[in-house]
Amino acid sequence: MDIRATLTELCDAFNAHDLDRIMAFFADDCVLEMPRGAEPWGTRCEGKRNVRDALATRFESLPDVHYGNGEHFADAAANTGISKWTLTGTTRDGTRKEVHGCDFYTFRDGKVIRKDSYWKIVE
């Protein structure tokens, strides 16, 4: 598996807002940890259906969301990778967002089993 190429393809799928294409990269027992939430890890979604629903919410709340300036790093021996990006988008109420962040990915058998997302807090 070429982790760096997979991360690039994932970023492209996110920018296309193509949930079917995105979810094709994920294992059935995947976990997504979003930056915000009531727990120290943010909000955790478990299982492909719940992850898909959480990602759909992102596209609904930021209809023009884009992950630009992508940089992708891979550790094939550990089956992990990191994608750095600048998220831009406009909320439904017209608020413009721009924030730097990253996703830590863990893979098993060529599929994402964990996506742990972080971003800077803009005040």
Side-chain angles (χ1 to χ4, degrees):
M1 167 183 196
D2 184 339
I3 292 173
R4 185 173 291 171
T6 299
L7 295 175
T8 299
E9 290 176 36
L10 262 165
C11 190
D12 291 345
F14 272 94
N15 284 330
H17 300 191
D18 187 338
L19 278 171
D20 291 334
R21 191 167 141 207
I22 292 166
M23 295 314 299
F25 289 97
F26 284 76
D28 289 338
D29 61 343
C30 59
V31 173
L32 168 66
E33 291 184 344
M34 300 293 284
R36 293 183 180 198
E39 302 296 336
W41 53 82
T43 299
R44 181 177 295 145
C45 304
E46 297 182 29
K48 203 167 187 175
R49 180 80 236 162
N50 293 328
V51 169
R52 182 187 179 92
D53 290 347
L55 295 176
T57 300
R58 164 59 45 83
F59 295 137
E60 290 167 11
S61 64
L62 287 168
D64 63 343
V65 67
H66 181 80
Y67 298 86
N69 304 318
E71 296 179 66
H72 310 290
F73 308 90
D75 182 345
N79 287 317
T80 60
I82 299 170
S83 289
K84 290 175 55 178
W85 34 258
T86 302
L87 177 149
T88 56
T90 308
T91 64
R92 294 239 178 243
D93 70 3
T95 303
R96 184 79 179 143
K97 300 286 184 183
E98 181 174 358
V99 64
H100 290 261
C102 61
D103 292 311
F104 289 81
Y105 287 93
T106 306
F107 296 89
R108 182 186 65 230
D109 300 327
K111 297 286 187 178
V112 175
I113 58 170
R114 179 180 210 81
K115 178 182 185 286
D116 192 0
S117 295
Y118 296 84
W119 64 48
K120 298 289 185 178
I121 297 171
V122 179
E123 300 178 312

